[in-house]
Amino acid sequence: MVKDHAETDLDRELDDLPTELRWREWMRRIEAVLFASASPVPREDLARVVGQGASVDLLVEDLVADLEGRSFEVAQVAGGWMLRTRPAYAAVIRTAADVGDQDLDLREYDVAVLAAIAYHQPITRDGLKDIFGKEISRDLIGRLHARGLIVTGPRSPRRGAPYTYVTTEQFLVAFDLESLQDLPDREQMEDAGVINSQA
């Protein structure tokens, strides 16, 4: 109810402003929404704060250009946009702030299992065992789950209806992917030994 009231009070069209100022205000609104959000914001949500017919994509493009040379940027990940610090400043942030709990701290084998899940999802632990030739521990699955990179997917139709695992939006954000279609080519991953060519 409060949300509906706030939306009706918002002047989206800004007809009283000259065209250039209206566009700049819409850019600032998008920037404010991205700044306030801890997760990627989809196009539909951004469209609610700008005038009817205003192109969210063009507004974001102009915002990207406006932020050029700043320490943060607009990134398109997981089906939306978010503000984040530019990679060049990662060491500065680690030095000045306690961000240890944000570090994924994944072992090489964890990353290989995560890649197998990403490429074969939804997949069971037995499916992972077939890929790696050995049992995948519940602890490893738990580590990936605790970091928000995977969740349980639909139950497998196989006997016993085992759980399957799928990647999350956090997985896409952590690896800077817009969608699963942006995963590296399977052939490259096979050549790197990350996924099994037999799977």
Side-chain angles (χ1 to χ4, degrees), residues 31-42 45-46 81-83 169:
E31 182 180 15
V33 170
L34 297 179
F35 180 79
S37 179
S39 59
V41 181
D45 291 352
L46 294 176
W81 290 276
M82 66 186 303
L83 283 178
E169 180 181 280

Side-chain angles (χ1 to χ4, degrees), residues 116-125 127-128 131 151-158 162-167 180:
I117 292 170
Y119 281 98
H120 299 283
Q121 63 187 305
I123 188 168
T124 62
R125 282 182 61 228
L128 291 169
I131 292 170
V151 294
T152 54
R155 301 293 287 254
S156 173
R158 295 171 43 189
Y163 286 104
T164 63
Y165 301 98
V166 296
T167 56
L180 291 173

Side-chain angles (χ1 to χ4, degrees), residues 145-182:
H145 191 275
R147 285 166 179 80
L149 300 171
I150 64 169
V151 294
T152 54
R155 301 293 287 254
S156 173
R158 295 171 43 189
R159 191 171 125 182
Y163 286 104
T164 63
Y165 301 98
V166 296
T167 56
T168 63
E169 180 181 280
Q170 178 58 35
F171 167 81
L172 295 174
V173 171
F175 291 94
D176 198 22
L177 302 170
E178 169 67 16
S179 72
L180 291 173
Q181 283 73 37
D182 295 329

Side-chain angles (χ1 to χ4, degrees), residues 7-25:
E7 285 185 18
T8 58
D9 288 347
L10 181 64
D11 178 7
R12 289 180 189 83
E13 300 305 323
L14 302 172
D15 291 329
D16 57 330
L17 292 178
T19 305
E20 185 176 317
L21 291 178
R22 183 179 318 136
W23 191 262
R24 178 138 318 268
E25 175 60 21

Side-chain angles (χ1 to χ4, degrees), residues 6-192:
E7 285 185 18
T8 58
D9 288 347
L10 181 64
D11 178 7
R12 289 180 189 83
E13 300 305 323
L14 302 172
D15 291 329
D16 57 330
L17 292 178
T19 305
E20 185 176 317
L21 291 178
R22 183 179 318 136
W23 191 262
R24 178 138 318 268
E25 175 60 21
W26 287 336
M27 281 174 48
R28 293 299 162 239
R29 287 178 176 190
I30 288 174
E31 182 180 15
V33 170
L34 297 179
F35 180 79
S37 179
S39 59
V41 181
R43 177 180 287 103
E44 310 80 63
D45 291 352
L46 294 176
R48 285 189 279 206
V49 299
V50 300
Q52 187 175 2
S55 170
V56 170
D57 291 313
L58 291 177
L59 286 161
V60 170
E61 280 181 30
D62 284 355
L63 180 58
V64 167
D66 196 47
L67 295 176
E68 190 64 38
R70 303 287 301 272
S71 59
F72 56 94
E73 64 186 354
V74 175
Q76 190 168 10
V77 291
W81 290 276
M82 66 186 303
L83 283 178
R84 67 177 182 194
T85 306
R86 292 184 188 276
Y89 294 96
V92 173
I93 292 169
R94 280 192 300 272
T95 300
D98 180 15
V99 293
D101 62 338
Q102 295 178 21
D103 188 8
L104 290 178
D105 190 30
L106 295 175
R107 300 175 188 133
E108 188 175 328
Y109 190 64
D110 295 1
V111 173
V113 171
L114 182 58
I117 292 170
Y119 281 98
H120 299 283
Q121 63 187 305
I123 188 168
T124 62
R125 282 182 61 228
D126 280 345
L128 291 169
K129 180 181 177 182
D130 292 344
I131 292 170
F132 290 96
K134 65 180 184 177
E135 192 76 31
I136 303 303
S137 75
R138 293 189 195 292
D139 289 344
L140 189 157
I141 296 295
R143 281 194 303 274
L144 297 176
H145 191 275
R147 285 166 179 80
L149 300 171
I150 64 169
V151 294
T152 54
R155 301 293 287 254
S156 173
R158 295 171 43 189
R159 191 171 125 182
Y163 286 104
T164 63
Y165 301 98
V166 296
T167 56
T168 63
E169 180 181 280
Q170 178 58 35
F171 167 81
L172 295 174
V173 171
F175 291 94
D176 198 22
L177 302 170
E178 169 67 16
S179 72
L180 291 173
Q181 283 73 37
D182 295 329
L183 284 168
D185 181 77
R186 284 183 58 93
E187 201 171 291
Q188 293 172 328
M189 297 296 280
E190 289 168 3
D191 291 345

